[in-house]
Amino acid sequence: MRTSARLGVVAGALFYVTAFSADAQIVPPPASEIPIPVKPKTDSGPDSARVNTDTIKPPIGRFADPALYEIGPQYEWNRAQLFATGALTVIDVLDRIPGVTTFRSGWLATPQTATYAGDFRRVRVFYDGIEIDDLDSRTGGVLDLSTVQLWSLEHLSIERSASELRIYMRTWRVENTDPYTRVDVATGNEDTNLYRGFYGKRLDNGGAIQFAGQQFGVTSSRFAGSGDALSLLSRIGIAKKSWSLDGFIIRHHATRNIQRPIVGRPPVLALDATHTEAYLRAAVGRTSGGPWAQVSVASLAFRGTPSPDRSTSAGVLSDTLERRASETQYNVSGGLTLGPLRVEVGDRLRALAGSSYNTASARADIVSPIGAISGFVEHDGFRQSTNADVGIRLQPLPFLALSGSVARSIPNSGGLTAVTDITAFRGEAAIKLFGPWISGGLISADRSQGLAPLAYDTLFLPTFPGRISAWTGSIRGPIRGGFGIDAWVEQWSPAFEPYLPEYQSRSEINYSNNFLKRFPRGDFELRVAGVYEYRSHVNFPFGAGDVRTEVAKTVSALLEIRLMRAVITYQQRNILAYQYPIVPGFEMPRVLAIYGVRWDFWN
């Protein structure tokens, strides 16, 4: 086991040798996250990307994304960059983040969950400023991330504090009066078919009309899980230079057939559920300078229809009760930007299950040429705690950087769930050597009485209090000539903690080039990436004793070719057909290929 576990470390070392031979340069966004751009052209043909400035209208909504404090490339993506990663779901993105461990029992139609530092509580999702809470009573409070629609975003940023992972999402908006249309089509193994469509337009008076949808289906003849999902969104609003008003709704209807394990475990229950997030929002001011304020009233709803009972004859027995849950959120936020200083305050009021929970928060960020400081404090009535963390990135020399975060969580009275007093810190030091940043660090955190991923098995036990720590290492940044690297490895202790592998790593080598000398109009782009992922055994606590998964290791590849406004994409996951489970009893798909085209254009 130890020899196998060190494969992840060896892979990182091999990437280091590659990086060591490169020349030094300024660090742009990591090559793995560089968008496939469309360079504006001078003609006005049907495929032209030229945009007249008088057709651009003010944006809808006000956002102050947090100042991130990673060393080198930050964990944030715009719309083009996000699709260029090849990610189809939120956990595909989270697989790139050190400290995060993702779980799924199969392919797209199965439940998808994640821990940060081994705790399911520490992963939080903010969707246009609305915090997405788990409303399905059968998942034990663990949010199924497959219900959060990655395709609907225009921007994603991930703040990796010492105590929790905060995922900030901004939904797709249009700013041009020329109608925008996009179509995505993909197909692949396990009878996978995926379709997306987008339409958006701004009116001359500042009005906005947007419609979009995604549908996918999976029919697995093996054990990858079968099901389908249809998601639809729409936005109607208006924005002027100093204010905006809009209404937004996204509705996600997913069905999942019962997923039977290979041997020895209960099945994952069938599902027919609808998730709805909707809000009305008004905003004034500008986040780029001067004061701004925003208020939104949001409705979150879940409806689940009958599903088979978990028993030895689970294929034929059903419940008779429909599950319903709803939540109303009232969000008020505002801020001020003065040079390098940005201050933001907010208040969130939840109305849920006949009770109300208030959360007040404040943030202050200072960004300068030599680094950034970010402070966050929150009095959370919903989680029954007061939380505070400070993060810093310091780069006193072009080739030297330090990063870290310290966090504290203190219980308070009232609320829905209870936590214990938690202290956590994360520190990292890095040098820039021939292009990439090479870093090493330490994570140490208290873990409270946690949650269990009941979506896979209702008999799994929650995590227990204790302190865990990890040594980390990474190599991230450009190498040379269009090549880039994004590799990290971590070793957790004590070994065999619940839902946490002792060793985990991800290493990516990528290449991106638009060959401007040959295609000066920017009509062509090539992107290639190879990925090696590794995790050692993971313990799932169970009343009769822990259940341990086998080692998981995969080699994957991504190819994207842009021809004018169309992107041809092809990816293979687990190329070597390695047999492995992530959740006990559920074998992941062997070689999994998916390919298609994304085509967007302005009429």
Side-chain angles (χ1 to χ4, degrees):
M1 180 188 71
R2 292 284 179 176
T3 301
S4 178
R6 294 191 181 95
L7 287 174
V9 182
V10 172
L14 290 176
F15 282 121
Y16 170 80
V17 172
T18 304
F20 192 81
S21 62
D23 293 334
Q25 53 184 293
I26 297 175
V27 177
S32 63
E33 295 150 16
I34 292 176
I36 294 183
V38 177
K39 184 175 180 175
K41 298 187 289 185
T42 57
D43 59 54
S44 57
D47 290 310
S48 174
R50 179 175 60 86
V51 176
N52 296 324
T53 56
D54 59 356
T55 66
I56 302 298
K57 298 300 177 181
I60 292 176
R62 302 294 182 266
F63 297 95
D65 294 318
L68 305 180
Y69 38 88
E70 302 289 344
I71 294 177
Q74 304 301 304
Y75 291 117
E76 62 177 337
W77 300 264
N78 63 27
R79 183 170 174 79
Q81 292 168 338
L82 197 56
F83 282 101
T85 64
L88 299 175
T89 64
V90 173
I91 66 169
D92 285 343
V93 178
L94 295 185
D95 281 333
R96 299 168 170 267
I97 312 300
V100 176
T101 304
T102 63
F103 299 95
R104 63 171 97 187
S105 55
W107 186 215
L108 293 177
T110 61
Q112 301 171 17
T113 59
T115 69
Y116 182 61
D119 195 335
F120 290 99
R121 293 184 190 274
R122 298 189 182 201
V123 178
R124 301 173 64 183
V125 177
F126 299 88
Y127 192 81
D128 278 349
I130 299 157
E131 184 163 7
I132 304 299
D133 299 317
D134 175 58
L135 298 180
D136 186 352
S137 59
R138 291 193 174 180
T139 59
V142 178
L143 179 63
D144 183 353
L145 293 171
S146 69
T147 65
V148 181
Q149 301 307 297
L150 186 73
W151 65 272
S152 67
L153 305 184
E154 73 171 20
H155 188 270
L156 173 67
S157 60
I158 297 178
E159 183 180 15
R160 193 167 60 111
S161 78
S163 62
E164 61 185 15
L165 191 82
R166 295 188 282 265
I167 307 171
Y168 296 94
M169 300 178 168
R170 279 194 267 136
T171 57
W172 166 61
R173 299 172 295 172
V174 291
E175 299 180 354
N176 200 327
T177 57
D178 293 332
Y180 169 78
T181 307
R182 170 170 159 173
V183 176
D184 299 351
V185 179
T187 188
N189 293 9
E190 307 294 345
D191 253 350
T192 301
N193 293 287
L194 183 148
Y195 311 94
R196 299 190 193 104
F198 301 85
Y199 175 82
K201 177 181 173 61
R202 293 297 295 272
L203 306 179
D204 291 334
N205 65 356
I209 302 173
Q210 294 179 227
F211 302 98
Q214 174 183 273
Q215 194 276 335
F216 76 80
V218 177
T219 306
S220 175
S221 58
R222 293 173 289 183
F223 302 98
S226 298
D228 56 53
L230 174 64
S231 304
L232 299 171
L233 74 79
S234 63
R235 186 196 308 276
I236 298 177
I238 186 171
K240 299 294 185 178
K241 186 172 295 186
S242 59
W243 61 272
S244 72
L245 178 67
D246 71 309
F248 174 89
I249 183 171
I250 183 167
R251 191 175 181 88
H252 174 69
H253 177 222
T255 65
R256 181 175 69 227
N257 296 340
I258 190 168
Q259 185 186 12
R260 299 188 181 279
I262 299 175
V263 65
R265 305 299 307 164
V268 171
L269 290 179
L271 179 72
D272 186 342
T274 301
H275 295 260
T276 305
E277 286 92 38
Y279 63 74
L280 292 174
R281 175 178 60 185
V284 295
R286 298 182 301 167
T287 58
S288 58
W292 63 274
Q294 180 170 277
V295 59
S296 64
V297 180
S299 174
L300 288 74
F302 167 82
R303 179 175 62 85
T305 57
S307 57
D309 187 19
R310 191 184 296 276
S311 67
T312 56
S313 57
V316 295
L317 300 179
S318 297
D319 297 331
T320 58
L321 296 178
E322 182 180 73
R323 292 169 291 139
R324 288 179 177 266
S326 62
E327 174 185 339
T328 302
Q329 275 191 32
Y330 304 89
N331 298 283
V332 179
S333 60
L336 178 66
T337 301
L338 295 173
L341 173 65
R342 186 175 65 209
V343 178
E344 179 183 359
V345 295
D347 190 85
R348 186 188 321 278
L349 179 64
R350 289 176 172 91
L352 174 65
S355 301
S356 60
Y357 309 92
N358 189 70
T359 299
S361 63
R363 174 186 293 277
D365 298 329
I366 300 177
V367 180
S368 73
I370 63 170
I373 299 176
S374 179
F376 176 78
V377 62
E378 175 185 60
H379 183 77
D380 191 343
F382 183 67
R383 291 176 178 79
Q384 193 181 342
S385 63
T386 298
N387 314 302
D389 58 71
V390 176
I392 185 171
R393 181 184 73 251
L394 182 63
Q395 189 174 340
L397 299 172
F399 56 86
L400 177 65
L402 303 172
S403 175
S405 175
V406 179
R408 183 77 183 272
S409 180
I410 302 173
N412 51 263
S413 60
L416 185 65
T417 59
V419 298
T420 57
D421 194 349
I422 291 175
T423 302
F425 69 87
R426 176 176 67 84
E428 192 174 12
I431 58 172
K432 185 181 176 186
L433 189 60
F434 302 104
W437 286 95
I438 303 172
S439 68
L442 173 66
I443 301 172
S444 182
D446 293 320
R447 184 161 63 177
S448 64
Q449 183 71 33
L451 303 174
L454 302 185
Y456 309 114
D457 190 336
T458 56
L459 298 181
F460 283 148
L461 299 178
T463 56
F464 47 82
R467 190 159 191 90
I468 58 175
S469 60
W471 293 102
T472 66
S474 68
I475 311 172
R476 303 181 63 232
I479 300 176
R480 188 176 184 180
F483 285 93
I485 186 170
D486 188 351
W488 55 266
V489 62
E490 56 193 18
Q491 179 189 8
W492 290 93
S493 61
F496 308 124
E497 286 289 294
Y499 311 116
L500 190 65
E502 182 180 4
Y503 293 93
Q504 187 172 357
S505 71
R506 183 184 188 275
S507 303
E508 176 180 321
I509 288 284
N510 47 67
Y511 174 77
S512 180
N513 200 331
N514 55 13
F515 303 97
L516 283 179
K517 290 184 178 180
R518 188 171 181 85
F519 302 95
R521 290 171 43 166
D523 291 336
F524 180 82
E525 182 98 9
L526 174 68
R527 170 176 156 72
V528 183
V531 180
Y532 174 76
E533 295 177 281
Y534 174 89
R535 70 171 68 179
S536 60
H537 304 276
V538 178
N539 276 13
F540 285 70
F542 187 64
D546 290 354
V547 180
R548 181 177 298 180
T549 63
E550 297 299 321
V551 168
K553 49 187 175 182
T554 62
V555 176
S556 305
L558 170 70
L559 169 66
E560 293 211 333
I561 301 173
R562 180 178 60 80
L563 302 172
M564 301 182 72
R565 302 286 290 178
V567 177
I568 301 169
T569 179
Y570 179 86
Q571 62 175 297
Q572 274 200 350
R573 305 188 184 191
N574 195 16
I575 294 173
L576 301 181
Y578 187 79
Q579 183 178 351
Y580 70 100
I582 292 179
V583 174
F586 297 94
E587 183 178 306
M588 293 294 290
R590 302 292 180 89
V591 179
L592 185 61
I594 186 166
Y595 51 92
V597 62
R598 305 190 302 268
W599 192 356
D600 61 333
F601 50 91
W602 298 95
N603 295 334

